[in-house]
Amino acid sequence: MPDELADLLMGATERAGLDEAPGKSGASLERVVIDGQAYVLKHLDLGRDWTMRASGCLRGAPLVLWERGILGRLPGCLNQPIVAAAPEPRGCALLMHDVGRWLVPATDAPIPLAQHTRFLRHMAELHAAFWACGDEFDVVPAMHRYLELSPWMAFFPGAAIMVVVLGFNFLGDGLRDVLDPRLRNL
């Protein structure tokens, strides 16, 4: 495994940032050419990627999975794109094959049934491979597991319980004021 970003980019002849990256994670992307082969370099930055902070996986889950060798054990049908990974001061860098031409286009056209079925089969194989990894796949600290996707997962149920309890308190106070004869003369 490369020790740093310079090791990942050894032999790079071209580098160009992708300004309008479609991702929502805050990662920055670059197109890189190494030995005539096109790659994408993805920088996961703790300061911009809220999922890294919320999950507690501060080094980046792909880097941890790469270091454990799990990405190399994925089913062959997936064509896993990451070819190298290296830590960075605030996250990690992933060198990936440029798979843009294989991505599903962002259109409203229906996906053909055969393609959809193949996707579901590949996802089932992927999940089976992850289940086979057991605890080795666990990259999220236990204290962050249920708040990984959103802190609102804890806030909204708590707020709903509070509203119900306060509602019953106010209802009880109102019923007591109306029905208690001792309070009528006050």
Side-chain angles (χ1 to χ4, degrees):
M1 184 180 101
D3 291 328
E4 55 187 55
L5 183 60
D7 295 340
L8 279 180
L9 298 174
M10 197 171 297
T13 56
E14 295 178 34
R15 285 180 73 177
L18 297 173
D19 295 331
E20 295 298 321
K24 303 294 185 202
S25 69
S28 62
L29 302 174
E30 296 180 59
R31 275 208 202 286
V32 180
V33 176
I34 302 173
D35 297 328
Q37 179 75 29
Y39 295 95
V40 172
L41 182 65
K42 182 175 185 175
H43 299 273
L44 298 175
D45 184 341
L46 179 61
R48 292 186 298 184
D49 190 337
W50 70 270
T51 60
M52 289 172 66
R53 294 189 307 272
S55 70
C57 187
L58 304 181
R59 297 181 64 227
L63 176 65
V64 174
L65 295 174
W66 177 265
E67 290 173 339
R68 294 179 184 173
I70 292 174
L71 297 179
R73 297 191 316 241
L74 295 179
C77 66
L78 294 178
N79 194 14
Q80 195 280 115
I82 299 175
V83 295
E88 288 190 305
R90 293 185 44 85
C92 66
L94 308 172
L95 186 64
M96 306 180 296
H97 289 290
D98 187 351
V99 296
R101 66 181 180 269
W102 296 311
L103 296 178
V104 175
T107 69
D108 290 332
I111 297 172
L113 180 60
Q115 184 178 1
H116 185 72
T117 303
R118 187 175 65 245
F119 171 77
L120 292 175
R121 187 176 60 251
H122 290 179
M123 290 305 293
E125 289 183 40
L126 174 67
H127 283 85
F130 284 155
W131 277 106
C133 293
D135 289 342
E136 189 180 11
F137 180 70
D138 191 10
V139 296
V140 177
M143 64 187 263
H144 289 96
R145 281 198 190 115
Y146 300 105
L147 298 178
E148 178 183 13
L149 298 177
S150 174
W152 303 116
M153 290 174 66
F155 175 78
F156 284 122
I161 291 170
M162 182 184 76
V163 166
V164 168
V165 168
L166 287 174
F168 277 114
N169 276 336
F170 291 137
L171 177 66
D173 289 345
L175 287 174
R176 185 190 63 228
D177 292 345
V178 169
L179 300 175
D180 191 347
R182 292 174 292 168
L183 294 176
R184 288 187 188 149
N185 297 331
L186 294 178

